[in-house]
Amino acid sequence: MIVILHANTDQDSDSYRETISFLEQLPDITFKQHVVQGSEQKLTEIYLIGDTHKVDQEAVESLDAVDRVIRISQEYRILGRHRDEQRAIGFTYNGVDFNQDNLHVFAGLCAVDKPESVEMVMRELNNLGQICTRMGAYKPRTNPYSFQGHGKKCLPYVFELAGKYEIKVIAMEVTHESYIDEISECLERMGRPTGVMLQVGTRNTQNFELLKAIGRQTEYPVLFKRGYGVTLNESLNAAEYLASSGNSKVIFCLRGMHSIFGSPHRNMVDFAQVPVVKRLTRMPVCIDPSHSVGSREPSADSILDLIHAAAQGVIAGANMILVDFHPDPANALVDGPQALLMDELAPFLEDMLLCQQSYQRRREIWAQG
Ligand code: PEP
Ligand code: MN
């Protein structure tokens, strides 16, 4: 059961105190608060844990501070929808809105290699009006002898160039909680020229201690990747670890499933589940066509499979695209074979805009039906 207080309820007010005393005297019930500070208002949700069937919903609803009460299923308590259409969807970070209706493209380097590559990508993004990118500094590699990313060494030039080219949000994977501090220290030292969205990689989907650590901070939103070898339900439960630890600014990313049946693609593309995640949860949904398809193989129509896959995700309502680009893929240190080229960025954006418009038109067709 979730008790939702009126927006901006002050924790020093009598009505708040009255609510807490009421909840405290409920037998066999404990509770946990979750406060979301939006750009305009502060929302307080109180999660009741225990045998809530015996709780008198009307009595709770009659308390002055209480806006409404929702009975929820056991799963995805915070991130789930629970048939309540009024709870906020998405969040704003560094001036950028993320929700289940809009679309942001995060085109950029799988792994940062040198300042020149970062600058070439960011300059082009800026020319094309883009304010988000991806830049891998900490890479989770299958082989311990492969390049592991430049780590904190590259952060100063990545953040400086992001500021120069007006990039507002960089998706950056963290493979250990200490890297959050490295990112914060560098951003702070440089006067916060840009923002960071912490990425949880598919290999860490069920690294619960990492999830709890990322969830304990609320400064940075999180791009959470679906696990490539666990069910959707297991991945959504894992995402809930972030929220239950305190951070519900989470975007859920589909990136394909490990399966021999995906061959010749690197993974089995799972973008048909974009609407499923939107139905089950309040998270904006991202697709990663690069790590799903994993190659630049063109189809008979000369459009790359990877771009077809991206189009399929967007036409089904995806809210974010994470996609690898590189100015010189032959010399990329990670995932060169799947990178799109800089002169493919403009047509890629045009194609995705068309798919987004088609999705909007599809909604209109079915709203009339
Ligand atoms: C990535 O996006 O750089 C990445 C490693 O992806 P995944 O965790 O989906 O393999
Ligand atoms: Mn990669």
Side-chain angles (χ1 to χ4, degrees):
M1 182 179 264
I2 311 177
V3 179
I4 300 180
L5 304 189
H6 292 295
N8 299 322
T9 295
D10 186 350
Q11 301 214 344
D12 287 327
S13 64
D14 289 344
S15 62
Y16 175 82
R17 274 194 284 269
E18 178 200 32
T19 306
I20 297 299
S21 323
F22 183 93
L23 299 177
E24 274 170 353
Q25 54 79 39
L26 292 173
D28 305 321
I29 296 285
T30 54
F31 57 89
K32 196 170 170 182
Q33 286 197 53
H34 186 74
V35 180
V36 184
Q37 181 66 60
S39 48
E40 272 147 39
Q41 53 186 22
K42 186 174 89 172
L43 284 176
T44 306
E45 296 185 340
I46 306 178
Y47 294 81
L48 304 198
I49 302 154
D51 187 6
T52 54
H53 291 102
K54 292 189 210 121
V55 175
D56 179 349
Q57 182 165 343
E58 277 178 27
V60 181
E61 268 167 343
S62 68
L63 297 165
D64 280 351
V66 175
D67 180 24
R68 62 193 195 284
V69 172
I70 312 172
R71 288 210 178 263
I72 54 170
S73 51
Q74 282 304 303
E75 290 183 315
Y76 338 134
R77 286 184 188 191
I78 300 176
L79 296 173
R81 272 186 183 260
H82 311 299
R83 293 190 208 92
D84 180 278
E85 293 300 328
Q86 293 176 60
R87 290 167 82 211
I89 292 186
F91 55 87
T92 302
Y93 172 65
N94 208 20
V96 185
D97 262 343
F98 294 91
N99 56 51
Q100 284 192 342
D101 289 316
N102 61 9
L103 175 69
H104 295 287
V105 179
F106 281 61
L109 299 175
C110 178
V112 172
D113 43 31
K114 51 186 182 183
E116 292 76 15
S117 311
V118 176
E119 180 144 26
M120 275 192 257
V121 171
M122 289 191 181
R123 189 192 302 122
E124 190 59 7
L125 287 169
N126 181 250
N127 281 341
L128 295 168
Q130 297 298 300
I131 53 170
C132 300
T133 188
R134 59 159 295 150
M135 289 285 150
Y138 308 95
K139 299 305 299 177
R141 303 308 300 282
T142 302
N143 183 333
Y145 306 110
S146 303
F147 172 64
Q148 304 284 312
H150 286 312
K152 72 173 176 185
K153 276 205 315 261
C154 68
L155 300 182
Y157 65 81
V158 170
F159 294 159
E160 189 199 320
L161 289 165
K164 178 171 170 189
Y165 291 107
E166 295 168 343
I167 299 291
K168 300 262 174 268
V169 189
I170 305 175
M172 183 176 277
E173 177 162 358
V174 284
T175 49
H176 191 273
E177 61 179 283
S178 60
Y179 302 151
I180 308 172
D181 295 332
E182 293 184 1
I183 290 169
S184 280
E185 277 158 26
C186 186
L187 279 175
E188 198 55 44
R189 201 170 57 240
M190 302 185 63
R192 300 203 170 264
T194 186
V196 169
M197 181 180 286
L198 301 175
Q199 187 174 319
V200 175
T202 193
R203 291 160 187 79
N204 276 316
T205 302
Q206 289 188 310
N207 182 344
F208 300 121
E209 296 310 316
L210 177 66
L211 298 180
K212 285 189 233 170
I214 294 177
R216 279 193 293 270
Q217 63 77 41
T218 51
E219 180 166 5
Y220 306 108
V222 186
L223 178 63
F224 178 85
K225 290 232 177 159
R226 175 185 191 168
Y228 58 35
V230 296
T231 63
L232 182 64
N233 172 272
E234 285 164 326
S235 288
L236 294 175
N237 268 300
E240 182 75 12
Y241 267 90
L242 297 161
S244 71
S245 307
N247 190 347
S248 52
K249 291 185 273 186
V250 186
I251 296 179
F252 190 84
C253 182
L254 297 169
R255 49 81 69 214
M257 303 298 297
H258 255 198
S259 165
I260 51 164
F261 301 112
S263 176
H265 293 160
R266 182 169 167 181
N267 287 285
M268 186 76 194
V269 181
D270 53 355
F271 299 166
Q273 292 186 340
V274 167
V276 178
V277 180
K278 289 170 85 170
R279 172 172 74 241
L280 294 175
T281 78
R282 299 182 293 138
M283 291 184 274
V285 180
C286 176
I287 51 161
D288 177 343
S290 302
H291 290 83
S292 293
V293 172
S295 77
R296 290 183 48 85
E297 202 64 40
S299 185
D301 54 18
S302 81
I303 301 173
L304 307 189
D305 287 7
L306 187 162
I307 294 176
H308 274 301
Q312 288 157 14
V314 175
I315 214 160
N319 308 111
M320 172 170 163
I321 312 171
L322 188 74
V323 55
D324 291 358
F325 272 77
H326 200 286
D328 178 18
N331 287 307
L333 297 177
V334 183
D335 283 348
Q338 69 191 24
L340 297 179
L341 311 173
M342 292 324 295
D343 61 9
E344 290 169 329
L345 182 58
F348 180 79
L349 294 173
E350 188 184 347
D351 189 354
M352 294 307 115
L353 181 64
L354 177 67
C355 295
Q356 187 192 11
Q357 288 162 347
S358 298
Y359 168 65
Q360 279 153 0
R361 182 73 194 106
R362 289 180 57 225
R363 286 182 71 164
E364 285 162 18
I365 292 171
W366 290 100
Q368 287 156 16

